[in-house]
Amino acid sequence: MKKKKVVEVAYKSRVEDMYCGRYEGNCFKVIMVKTKQAQFTLNCLNRSITTTCKKDHIATFEQDLEYSSSASVCPDHFKWIHEDLKPWKSTGITRETFEFGKNMSDFRLIIIKGKAYIEKYRAPFQTRDVFTLWGISQLLRLYPGKIPDLELLFEAGDRTQLMKEFFEGAEAMSPPPIFHYCGNNKSFDIVFPDWTFWGWGEVGIRSWEAILQKIKEGNSKLKWKDRMPYAFWKGNTLVSFNRGQLRKCNTSDQQDWNAHIFSVHWDKETAQGFQNTKLEDQCTHRYKIYVEGVAWSVSEKYIIACDSMTLFIEPEFYDFFTRSLVPFQHYWPISNQNMCEDIKDAVNWGNAHPDMAEAIGKAGTKFIEENVKMKFVYDYMFHLLNEYASLLRFKPIIPAAAVEICSETLACPMDGLWREYMVESMVKSPSVTPPCIMPPPTYNEDKGDEQ
């Protein structure tokens, strides 16, 4: 076919192309609409602390994102958004219910007309809140003007807050909606992606896209069958009972449990520049162990991404994607009651069936690479916030104590690794594709029953 251009307009350009067959009479017109692409920068003049957001805030940028037959369907774990919000599905969220959660939260986030504001109540551990807010500010850049007005409460600690037992009975009030990094079967916490997707400066872990690429490179250095035929774990053993018990599984002269367990002292590692804790250097064993800390652990995604068969010590908590992992397909379950014996048996089985063990390891890694890539992390946030905002039965307002936040107010005051990771994870321009298409709930929305 010959291609004959009819007209092209420069701004939000409408391009009409005329495709013709062998004869001019066999022509048909195709119209494409191209949205002008904005390019974002981080403006920290003379490394000074920027305290206000620019007047030409990106929230004013209008974005044309229309779903089409080529739009991707969200991964399976997106269905849990419906489950996490189900406690408020029939009643909605009133101002009274919302404010009840203030004393259990670290901060209040307000989004109005595409701009974000923060009211802080207490300081979380390290810079968890800063990097969580950084992630939300990048979401507003990725999908400018597409996040509805809302107010939400966020708790940035480890343990869940909204224990179900306190909200049971005919006279019980509705639980306040509190966003958090993890949940369990005993709580109503609304699960949200954790701060490390944009970097963890305190322990030298880069943003997710950057460290995942490093782990991929580490995987390629050593074939699975050439790796050490043992289970590996490295971390802080002092933060939970299970981690303390895991130390007893370390191979010794008295007992070979098929496990290599290494304790990390973070003060020492920080002083040495994290040379001994690089995640990309920890893909040298056929098996890797995941064990919870105070609650869930952010280490989960890094461990599964190593191509090693992951040995999951029976967890109590889950993050936003964990509930769609399948035992014996993506990981091998380990009882926390017979930890050392189960680890030994799993390793013996894997070494006797190396092809099957390798397949489990690679299936787990494939799940992480395909379903937990940053596009889907942002899409999960997008859909969760949209679904949540639809439940609010009050008009969001900006409290007098709240301050506006944006990329400059968050990144410019930072230095060292913290600034470096923010720049590395910064969204450079709005998305040219729409968010993925949400799966339907797995329960009957009218009756609230599981199907």
Side-chain angles (χ1 to χ4, degrees):
M1 284 189 173
K2 296 184 295 182
K3 179 179 175 182
K4 178 181 177 184
K5 185 172 290 185
V6 177
V7 64
E8 182 171 344
V9 184
Y11 173 54
K12 207 182 202 181
S13 58
R14 177 185 176 93
V15 181
E16 298 183 4
D17 287 350
M18 190 73 73
Y19 291 87
C20 301
R22 187 168 183 177
Y23 303 103
E24 287 290 324
N26 297 329
C27 296
F28 59 96
K29 183 187 292 185
V30 176
I31 300 176
M32 299 176 289
V33 177
K34 298 180 179 179
T35 302
K36 185 178 180 181
Q37 193 76 338
Q39 294 296 318
F40 302 144
T41 59
L42 184 65
N43 184 18
C44 300
L45 296 176
N46 299 321
R47 299 176 62 83
S48 62
I49 297 177
T50 302
T51 57
T52 58
C53 298
K54 297 180 294 184
K55 290 184 178 180
D56 58 340
H57 194 278
I58 194 59
T60 61
F61 180 81
E62 288 297 329
Q63 193 181 25
D64 282 334
L65 291 178
E66 295 184 5
Y67 284 101
S68 66
S69 59
S70 62
S72 63
V73 176
C74 299
D76 179 76
H77 63 271
F78 278 60
K79 69 185 181 185
W80 296 103
I81 291 175
H82 302 294
E83 185 70 21
D84 288 345
L85 295 177
K86 191 166 67 172
W88 303 277
K89 190 68 180 178
S90 61
T91 62
I93 301 168
T94 65
R95 172 63 75 179
E96 180 184 14
T97 298
F98 178 88
E99 294 293 343
F100 183 67
K102 179 177 176 180
N103 292 334
M104 292 181 274
S105 306
D106 292 327
F107 62 84
R108 179 194 308 245
L109 172 74
I110 308 98
I111 297 176
I112 293 182
K113 294 182 179 180
K115 296 186 179 183
Y117 305 83
I118 181 74
E119 182 181 41
K120 290 191 176 184
Y121 303 131
R122 59 192 183 202
F125 183 60
Q126 297 178 342
T127 52
R128 291 183 178 195
D129 58 335
V130 177
F131 273 78
T132 297
L133 293 169
W134 173 259
I136 292 170
S137 72
Q138 301 315 295
L139 173 69
L140 296 178
R141 282 184 157 195
L142 188 68
Y143 297 124
K146 300 301 180 182
I147 306 299
D149 292 359
L150 59 82
E151 290 182 51
L152 66 80
L153 297 169
F154 206 106
E155 209 285 324
D158 288 316
R159 298 188 182 277
T160 50
Q161 296 293 301
L162 299 171
M163 307 311 294
K164 291 181 178 179
E165 61 182 309
F166 298 126
F167 303 97
E168 294 177 342
E171 301 300 321
M173 67 174 295
S174 296
I178 297 180
F179 285 66
H180 188 215
Y181 303 124
C182 70
N184 63 6
N185 294 331
K186 300 177 182 179
S187 68
F188 287 122
D189 295 41
I190 302 172
V191 183
F192 195 81
D194 71 77
W195 75 98
T196 61
F197 283 98
W198 298 274
W200 190 1
E202 287 82 1
V203 296
I205 295 178
R206 296 173 63 182
S207 61
W208 176 232
E209 284 186 331
I211 195 61
L212 182 59
Q213 181 58 39
K214 284 290 186 182
I215 292 174
K216 286 182 181 179
E217 294 170 4
N219 287 343
S220 66
K221 292 179 181 179
L222 197 61
K223 293 181 179 180
W224 191 90
K225 292 178 181 178
D226 294 332
R227 298 183 182 190
M228 296 188 70
Y230 285 83
F232 172 92
W233 183 84
K234 192 171 193 175
N236 186 349
T237 59
L238 303 178
V239 296
S240 71
F241 176 79
N242 277 348
R243 289 192 179 188
Q245 293 298 102
L246 181 61
R247 284 185 297 181
K248 300 177 182 179
C249 304
N250 202 9
T251 294
S252 65
D253 295 335
Q254 290 74 38
Q255 178 67 55
D256 185 358
W257 292 112
N258 290 339
H260 293 164
I261 311 301
F262 299 91
S263 296
V264 171
H265 300 282
W266 283 110
D267 290 343
K268 180 180 178 181
E269 295 301 330
T270 302
Q272 295 178 350
F274 312 111
Q275 291 302 308
N276 300 313
T277 53
K278 292 182 178 180
L279 297 174
E280 62 268 30
D281 295 337
Q282 297 180 26
C283 300
T284 55
H285 288 61
R286 293 182 182 179
Y287 316 92
K288 293 198 70 176
I289 298 169
Y290 170 73
V291 58
E292 293 181 330
V294 176
W296 107 113
S297 171
V298 301
S299 64
E300 185 178 50
K301 54 185 175 290
Y302 310 120
I303 290 170
I304 301 174
C306 241
D307 271 354
S308 306
M309 186 174 86
T310 304
L311 309 183
F312 257 66
I313 296 177
E314 188 178 348
E316 176 185 352
F317 300 90
Y318 48 76
D319 60 19
F320 75 103
F321 66 84
T322 310
R323 287 168 283 183
S324 288
L325 292 171
V326 180
F328 303 110
Q329 177 180 333
H330 300 120
Y331 67 91
W332 190 278
I334 300 292
S335 168
N336 55 25
Q337 299 299 316
N338 302 290
M339 192 182 300
C340 299
E341 292 85 350
D342 277 10
I343 290 172
K344 184 178 179 68
D345 290 345
V347 171
N348 284 339
W349 178 88
N351 289 338
H353 305 86
D355 291 338
M356 297 172 68
E358 181 180 6
I360 293 173
K362 290 187 178 297
T365 297
K366 182 179 180 181
F367 178 95
I368 293 295
E369 292 178 351
E370 293 184 354
N371 299 297
V372 196
K373 54 188 173 184
M374 276 310 298
K375 173 65 164 64
F376 287 145
V377 174
Y378 282 122
D379 284 3
Y380 192 94
M381 296 161 64
F382 174 91
H383 285 299
L384 175 57
L385 294 181
N386 271 273
E387 293 289 327
Y388 166 79
S390 71
L391 299 175
L392 298 182
R393 300 295 179 259
F394 60 90
K395 181 180 175 66
I397 60 173
I398 304 170
V403 296
E404 186 180 0
I405 60 168
C406 57
S407 295
E408 280 73 21
T409 63
L410 293 167
C412 294
M414 308 302 286
D415 211 337
L417 292 178
W418 294 265
R419 170 83 74 84
E420 178 183 331
Y421 296 161
M422 285 182 170
V423 172
E424 181 177 75
S425 62
M426 186 173 68
V427 168
K428 306 298 192 302
S429 61
S431 176
V432 296
T433 58
C436 59
I437 301 172
M438 267 281 281
T442 56
Y443 60 89
N444 186 305
E445 292 201 34
D446 293 329
K447 298 181 180 180
D449 297 329
E450 295 292 331
Q451 291 182 336

